[in-house]
Amino acid sequence: VINAITRSVSAAEMVVGNVRVIKVHGKSAEMIDPAGKKSLVQEGVFIRQGTIIFTGHDSGVDLIFENGSSVNIRHSSQFSIDKFVQDPFDSETLDYKAAEQAPTTAVTKISVPEGDIIFKIAKQQAGALFEISTPVGSAGIRGTSGFAGRQGFGLATGSASFRSSAGPNLNVVAGSQVSPSGIAEPVSPEVLNSVNSSTAEMRAAIPPITFL
């Protein structure tokens, strides 16, 4: 009876989520796993919270999170998965190429202390948290696409709340950005095209059986 109760309680708790490397651009991307082991980033490997990825001047990495969100780590960047836990669910039943909404409630915190990322965050479930931290500030994401890092924080779709280190909280909407100096301004058409192109390429690279 005691064992049965223990299993029931554990099943209701959040578990550590998986993240899959779906594409590696170039050959100089490296990572440090939660145990401190350093290695080259390889396509198809699964990583978890506590992992740090470094890209060189000629490399980049595309990731798909088990909650349906994807991230393109640009060249010359440092990216970390600070926290990624979620309510348990059967990931084998999810079509990740078509997923627009997160399949479960999750807590996701990622950081870009150096360089830039392009992201497409699935619409989050009620009670979920998705946070992106950068040197410019941090953003709470509910479901949108955009970029974050040394160039600031901007969106191609949706909206987000951005806490700037240089000023008050800002509501960022599609087509706008917070510059590195904390100023709200429009995103250039060239950057918007780059975001849309990168998110489409990430979606196309997702394998049919994403998580086993």
Side-chain angles (χ1 to χ4, degrees), residues 65-87:
F65 285 68
E66 204 169 8
N67 63 2
S69 297
S70 51
V71 171
N72 166 233
I73 308 170
R74 311 297 278 179
H75 67 87
S76 305
S77 298
Q78 178 182 333
F79 171 84
S80 64
I81 305 169
D82 303 319
K83 187 171 186 178
F84 180 38
V85 294
Q86 61 189 10
D87 287 339

PDB file of all heavy atoms in Angstrom, residues 65-87:
ATOM      1  N   PHE A  65      12.431  21.446 -27.979  1.00  0.00           N
ATOM      2  CA  PHE A  65      12.099  21.084 -26.611  1.00  0.00           C
ATOM      3  C   PHE A  65      10.900  20.147 -26.617  1.00  0.00           C
ATOM      4  O   PHE A  65      10.041  20.211 -27.489  1.00  0.00           O
ATOM      5  CB  PHE A  65      11.772  22.334 -25.795  1.00  0.00           C
ATOM      6  CG  PHE A  65      12.968  23.153 -25.399  1.00  0.00           C
ATOM      7  CD1 PHE A  65      13.710  23.835 -26.354  1.00  0.00           C
ATOM      8  CD2 PHE A  65      13.353  23.250 -24.072  1.00  0.00           C
ATOM      9  CE1 PHE A  65      14.809  24.601 -25.994  1.00  0.00           C
ATOM     10  CE2 PHE A  65      14.442  24.012 -23.696  1.00  0.00           C
ATOM     11  CZ  PHE A  65      15.181  24.690 -24.657  1.00  0.00           C
ATOM     12  N   GLU A  66      10.824  19.301 -25.601  1.00  0.00           N
ATOM     13  CA  GLU A  66       9.751  18.322 -25.529  1.00  0.00           C
ATOM     14  C   GLU A  66       8.377  18.983 -25.388  1.00  0.00           C
ATOM     15  O   GLU A  66       7.360  18.352 -25.662  1.00  0.00           O
ATOM     16  CB  GLU A  66      10.002  17.374 -24.344  1.00  0.00           C
ATOM     17  CG  GLU A  66       9.332  16.029 -24.475  1.00  0.00           C
ATOM     18  CD  GLU A  66       9.813  15.036 -23.434  1.00  0.00           C
ATOM     19  OE1 GLU A  66      10.565  15.433 -22.510  1.00  0.00           O
ATOM     20  OE2 GLU A  66       9.431  13.858 -23.533  1.00  0.00           O
ATOM     21  N   ASN A  67       8.351  20.254 -25.001  1.00  0.00           N
ATOM     22  CA  ASN A  67       7.074  20.954 -24.888  1.00  0.00           C
ATOM     23  C   ASN A  67       6.674  21.654 -26.190  1.00  0.00           C
ATOM     24  O   ASN A  67       5.746  22.461 -26.213  1.00  0.00           O
ATOM     25  CB  ASN A  67       7.103  21.965 -23.735  1.00  0.00           C
ATOM     26  CG  ASN A  67       8.132  23.063 -23.930  1.00  0.00           C
ATOM     27  OD1 ASN A  67       8.817  23.128 -24.942  1.00  0.00           O
ATOM     28  ND2 ASN A  67       8.242  23.934 -22.936  1.00  0.00           N
ATOM     29  N   GLY A  68       7.408  21.368 -27.285  1.00  0.00           N
ATOM     30  CA  GLY A  68       7.026  21.867 -28.597  1.00  0.00           C
ATOM     31  C   GLY A  68       7.690  23.152 -29.039  1.00  0.00           C
ATOM     32  O   GLY A  68       7.454  23.623 -30.147  1.00  0.00           O
ATOM     33  N   SER A  69       8.541  23.736 -28.216  1.00  0.00           N
ATOM     34  CA  SER A  69       9.235  24.973 -28.565  1.00  0.00           C
ATOM     35  C   SER A  69      10.585  24.657 -29.211  1.00  0.00           C
ATOM     36  O   SER A  69      11.196  23.627 -28.938  1.00  0.00           O
ATOM     37  CB  SER A  69       9.448  25.829 -27.313  1.00  0.00           C
ATOM     38  OG  SER A  69       8.206  26.210 -26.759  1.00  0.00           O
ATOM     39  N   SER A  70      11.052  25.574 -30.073  1.00  0.00           N
ATOM     40  CA  SER A  70      12.319  25.354 -30.768  1.00  0.00           C
ATOM     41  C   SER A  70      13.199  26.598 -30.676  1.00  0.00           C
ATOM     42  O   SER A  70      12.706  27.718 -30.585  1.00  0.00           O
ATOM     43  CB  SER A  70      12.087  24.974 -32.233  1.00  0.00           C
ATOM     44  OG  SER A  70      11.223  25.903 -32.869  1.00  0.00           O
ATOM     45  N   VAL A  71      14.515  26.372 -30.696  1.00  0.00           N
ATOM     46  CA  VAL A  71      15.497  27.446 -30.558  1.00  0.00           C
ATOM     47  C   VAL A  71      16.631  27.225 -31.545  1.00  0.00           C
ATOM     48  O   VAL A  71      17.146  26.116 -31.681  1.00  0.00           O
ATOM     49  CB  VAL A  71      16.072  27.500 -29.124  1.00  0.00           C
ATOM     50  CG1 VAL A  71      17.250  28.477 -29.047  1.00  0.00           C
ATOM     51  CG2 VAL A  71      15.002  27.891 -28.113  1.00  0.00           C
ATOM     52  N   ASN A  72      16.991  28.299 -32.244  1.00  0.00           N
ATOM     53  CA  ASN A  72      18.166  28.302 -33.117  1.00  0.00           C
ATOM     54  C   ASN A  72      19.243  29.146 -32.436  1.00  0.00           C
ATOM     55  O   ASN A  72      19.070  30.352 -32.253  1.00  0.00           O
ATOM     56  CB  ASN A  72      17.824  28.882 -34.486  1.00  0.00           C
ATOM     57  CG  ASN A  72      19.056  29.233 -35.319  1.00  0.00           C
ATOM     58  OD1 ASN A  72      19.177  30.353 -35.807  1.00  0.00           O
ATOM     59  ND2 ASN A  72      19.960  28.291 -35.475  1.00  0.00           N
ATOM     60  N   ILE A  73      20.339  28.497 -32.019  1.00  0.00           N
ATOM     61  CA  ILE A  73      21.453  29.209 -31.392  1.00  0.00           C
ATOM     62  C   ILE A  73      22.369  29.699 -32.507  1.00  0.00           C
ATOM     63  O   ILE A  73      22.914  28.899 -33.268  1.00  0.00           O
ATOM     64  CB  ILE A  73      22.226  28.288 -30.431  1.00  0.00           C
ATOM     65  CG1 ILE A  73      21.272  27.607 -29.447  1.00  0.00           C
ATOM     66  CG2 ILE A  73      23.297  29.085 -29.676  1.00  0.00           C
ATOM     67  CD1 ILE A  73      21.922  26.499 -28.626  1.00  0.00           C
ATOM     68  N   ARG A  74      22.521  31.005 -32.603  1.00  0.00           N
ATOM     69  CA  ARG A  74      23.297  31.595 -33.691  1.00  0.00           C
ATOM     70  C   ARG A  74      24.803  31.445 -33.448  1.00  0.00           C
ATOM     71  O   ARG A  74      25.235  30.974 -32.390  1.00  0.00           O
ATOM     72  CB  ARG A  74      22.935  33.076 -33.836  1.00  0.00           C
ATOM     73  CG  ARG A  74      21.446  33.358 -33.887  1.00  0.00           C
ATOM     74  CD  ARG A  74      20.767  32.727 -35.077  1.00  0.00           C
ATOM     75  NE  ARG A  74      20.938  33.544 -36.267  1.00  0.00           N
ATOM     76  CZ  ARG A  74      20.459  33.230 -37.471  1.00  0.00           C
ATOM     77  NH1 ARG A  74      19.811  32.075 -37.654  1.00  0.00           N
ATOM     78  NH2 ARG A  74      20.626  34.038 -38.494  1.00  0.00           N
ATOM     79  N   HIS A  75      25.596  31.862 -34.410  1.00  0.00           N
ATOM     80  CA  HIS A  75      27.051  31.736 -34.291  1.00  0.00           C
ATOM     81  C   HIS A  75      27.589  32.614 -33.153  1.00  0.00           C
ATOM     82  O   HIS A  75      26.964  33.613 -32.754  1.00  0.00           O
ATOM     83  CB  HIS A  75      27.725  32.130 -35.609  1.00  0.00           C
ATOM     84  CG  HIS A  75      27.574  33.581 -35.946  1.00  0.00           C
ATOM     85  ND1 HIS A  75      28.440  34.557 -35.500  1.00  0.00           N
ATOM     86  CD2 HIS A  75      26.646  34.238 -36.682  1.00  0.00           C
ATOM     87  CE1 HIS A  75      28.066  35.736 -35.946  1.00  0.00           C
ATOM     88  NE2 HIS A  75      26.970  35.578 -36.667  1.00  0.00           N
ATOM     89  N   SER A  76      28.731  32.234 -32.620  1.00  0.00           N
ATOM     90  CA  SER A  76      29.427  33.002 -31.571  1.00  0.00           C
ATOM     91  C   SER A  76      28.530  33.281 -30.369  1.00  0.00           C
ATOM     92  O   SER A  76      28.465  34.401 -29.869  1.00  0.00           O
ATOM     93  CB  SER A  76      29.959  34.315 -32.145  1.00  0.00           C
ATOM     94  OG  SER A  76      30.782  34.087 -33.267  1.00  0.00           O
ATOM     95  N   SER A  77      27.847  32.254 -29.897  1.00  0.00           N
ATOM     96  CA  SER A  77      26.887  32.432 -28.810  1.00  0.00           C
ATOM     97  C   SER A  77      27.125  31.453 -27.668  1.00  0.00           C
ATOM     98  O   SER A  77      27.768  30.406 -27.841  1.00  0.00           O
ATOM     99  CB  SER A  77      25.454  32.251 -29.326  1.00  0.00           C
ATOM    100  OG  SER A  77      25.124  33.217 -30.297  1.00  0.00           O
ATOM    101  N   GLN A  78      26.595  31.812 -26.511  1.00  0.00           N
ATOM    102  CA  GLN A  78      26.539  30.918 -25.363  1.00  0.00           C
ATOM    103  C   GLN A  78      25.078  30.808 -24.948  1.00  0.00           C
ATOM    104  O   GLN A  78      24.389  31.825 -24.800  1.00  0.00           O
ATOM    105  CB  GLN A  78      27.371  31.435 -24.196  1.00  0.00           C
ATOM    106  CG  GLN A  78      27.290  30.548 -22.955  1.00  0.00           C
ATOM    107  CD  GLN A  78      28.093  31.105 -21.792  1.00  0.00           C
ATOM    108  OE1 GLN A  78      29.073  31.824 -21.987  1.00  0.00           O
ATOM    109  NE2 GLN A  78      27.687  30.788 -20.575  1.00  0.00           N
ATOM    110  N   PHE A  79      24.606  29.587 -24.767  1.00  0.00           N
ATOM    111  CA  PHE A  79      23.196  29.333 -24.468  1.00  0.00           C
ATOM    112  C   PHE A  79      23.117  28.282 -23.374  1.00  0.00           C
ATOM    113  O   PHE A  79      23.851  27.288 -23.392  1.00  0.00           O
ATOM    114  CB  PHE A  79      22.487  28.832 -25.726  1.00  0.00           C
ATOM    115  CG  PHE A  79      21.080  28.329 -25.504  1.00  0.00           C
ATOM    116  CD1 PHE A  79      20.008  29.209 -25.482  1.00  0.00           C
ATOM    117  CD2 PHE A  79      20.832  26.980 -25.324  1.00  0.00           C
ATOM    118  CE1 PHE A  79      18.719  28.754 -25.284  1.00  0.00           C
ATOM    119  CE2 PHE A  79      19.543  26.507 -25.134  1.00  0.00           C
ATOM    120  CZ  PHE A  79      18.484  27.401 -25.104  1.00  0.00           C
ATOM    121  N   SER A  80      22.229  28.489 -22.409  1.00  0.00           N
ATOM    122  CA  SER A  80      22.083  27.499 -21.341  1.00  0.00           C
ATOM    123  C   SER A  80      20.619  27.193 -21.072  1.00  0.00           C
ATOM    124  O   SER A  80      19.753  28.064 -21.185  1.00  0.00           O
ATOM    125  CB  SER A  80      22.757  27.982 -20.051  1.00  0.00           C
ATOM    126  OG  SER A  80      22.129  29.146 -19.558  1.00  0.00           O
ATOM    127  N   ILE A  81      20.372  25.929 -20.760  1.00  0.00           N
ATOM    128  CA  ILE A  81      19.049  25.490 -20.314  1.00  0.00           C
ATOM    129  C   ILE A  81      19.109  25.476 -18.796  1.00  0.00           C
ATOM    130  O   ILE A  81      19.608  24.538 -18.184  1.00  0.00           O
ATOM    131  CB  ILE A  81      18.707  24.092 -20.864  1.00  0.00           C
ATOM    132  CG1 ILE A  81      18.836  24.063 -22.382  1.00  0.00           C
ATOM    133  CG2 ILE A  81      17.292  23.683 -20.444  1.00  0.00           C
ATOM    134  CD1 ILE A  81      18.774  22.669 -22.976  1.00  0.00           C
ATOM    135  N   ASP A  82      18.634  26.538 -18.179  1.00  0.00           N
ATOM    136  CA  ASP A  82      18.750  26.672 -16.729  1.00  0.00           C
ATOM    137  C   ASP A  82      17.746  25.791 -16.002  1.00  0.00           C
ATOM    138  O   ASP A  82      18.047  25.236 -14.944  1.00  0.00           O
ATOM    139  CB  ASP A  82      18.553  28.140 -16.329  1.00  0.00           C
ATOM    140  CG  ASP A  82      19.550  29.045 -17.031  1.00  0.00           C
ATOM    141  OD1 ASP A  82      20.725  28.664 -17.148  1.00  0.00           O
ATOM    142  OD2 ASP A  82      19.138  30.135 -17.487  1.00  0.00           O
ATOM    143  N   LYS A  83      16.548  25.672 -16.564  1.00  0.00           N
ATOM    144  CA  LYS A  83      15.524  24.811 -15.963  1.00  0.00           C
ATOM    145  C   LYS A  83      14.544  24.374 -17.028  1.00  0.00           C
ATOM    146  O   LYS A  83      14.128  25.178 -17.857  1.00  0.00           O
ATOM    147  CB  LYS A  83      14.789  25.541 -14.840  1.00  0.00           C
ATOM    148  CG  LYS A  83      13.824  24.642 -14.056  1.00  0.00           C
ATOM    149  CD  LYS A  83      13.294  25.340 -12.818  1.00  0.00           C
ATOM    150  CE  LYS A  83      12.450  24.391 -11.974  1.00  0.00           C
ATOM    151  NZ  LYS A  83      11.965  25.040 -10.720  1.00  0.00           N
ATOM    152  N   PHE A  84      14.197  23.092 -17.015  1.00  0.00           N
ATOM    153  CA  PHE A  84      13.153  22.588 -17.912  1.00  0.00           C
ATOM    154  C   PHE A  84      12.521  21.363 -17.284  1.00  0.00           C
ATOM    155  O   PHE A  84      13.040  20.255 -17.363  1.00  0.00           O
ATOM    156  CB  PHE A  84      13.729  22.252 -19.284  1.00  0.00           C
ATOM    157  CG  PHE A  84      12.697  21.720 -20.254  1.00  0.00           C
ATOM    158  CD1 PHE A  84      11.411  22.239 -20.282  1.00  0.00           C
ATOM    159  CD2 PHE A  84      13.006  20.701 -21.135  1.00  0.00           C
ATOM    160  CE1 PHE A  84      10.458  21.754 -21.160  1.00  0.00           C
ATOM    161  CE2 PHE A  84      12.068  20.203 -22.024  1.00  0.00           C
ATOM    162  CZ  PHE A  84      10.788  20.726 -22.032  1.00  0.00           C
ATOM    163  N   VAL A  85      11.390  21.593 -16.617  1.00  0.00           N
ATOM    164  CA  VAL A  85      10.624  20.508 -16.015  1.00  0.00           C
ATOM    165  C   VAL A  85       9.181  20.633 -16.483  1.00  0.00           C
ATOM    166  O   VAL A  85       8.718  21.722 -16.830  1.00  0.00           O
ATOM    167  CB  VAL A  85      10.687  20.544 -14.470  1.00  0.00           C
ATOM    168  CG1 VAL A  85      12.101  20.273 -13.981  1.00  0.00           C
ATOM    169  CG2 VAL A  85      10.179  21.878 -13.922  1.00  0.00           C
ATOM    170  N   GLN A  86       8.470  19.518 -16.490  1.00  0.00           N
ATOM    171  CA  GLN A  86       7.104  19.519 -17.031  1.00  0.00           C
ATOM    172  C   GLN A  86       6.262  18.419 -16.404  1.00  0.00           C
ATOM    173  O   GLN A  86       6.793  17.459 -15.833  1.00  0.00           O
ATOM    174  CB  GLN A  86       7.160  19.313 -18.545  1.00  0.00           C
ATOM    175  CG  GLN A  86       7.796  17.996 -18.952  1.00  0.00           C
ATOM    176  CD  GLN A  86       8.047  17.891 -20.442  1.00  0.00           C
ATOM    177  OE1 GLN A  86       7.924  18.844 -21.185  1.00  0.00           O
ATOM    178  NE2 GLN A  86       8.416  16.696 -20.901  1.00  0.00           N
ATOM    179  N   ASP A  87       4.950  18.582 -16.515  1.00  0.00           N
ATOM    180  CA  ASP A  87       4.055  17.506 -16.110  1.00  0.00           C
ATOM    181  C   ASP A  87       4.226  16.349 -17.085  1.00  0.00           C
ATOM    182  O   ASP A  87       4.343  16.571 -18.303  1.00  0.00           O
ATOM    183  CB  ASP A  87       2.599  17.978 -16.121  1.00  0.00           C
ATOM    184  CG  ASP A  87       2.285  18.926 -14.967  1.00  0.00           C
ATOM    185  OD1 ASP A  87       3.027  18.906 -13.966  1.00  0.00           O
ATOM    186  OD2 ASP A  87       1.300  19.682 -15.070  1.00  0.00           O
TER     187      ASP A  87
END
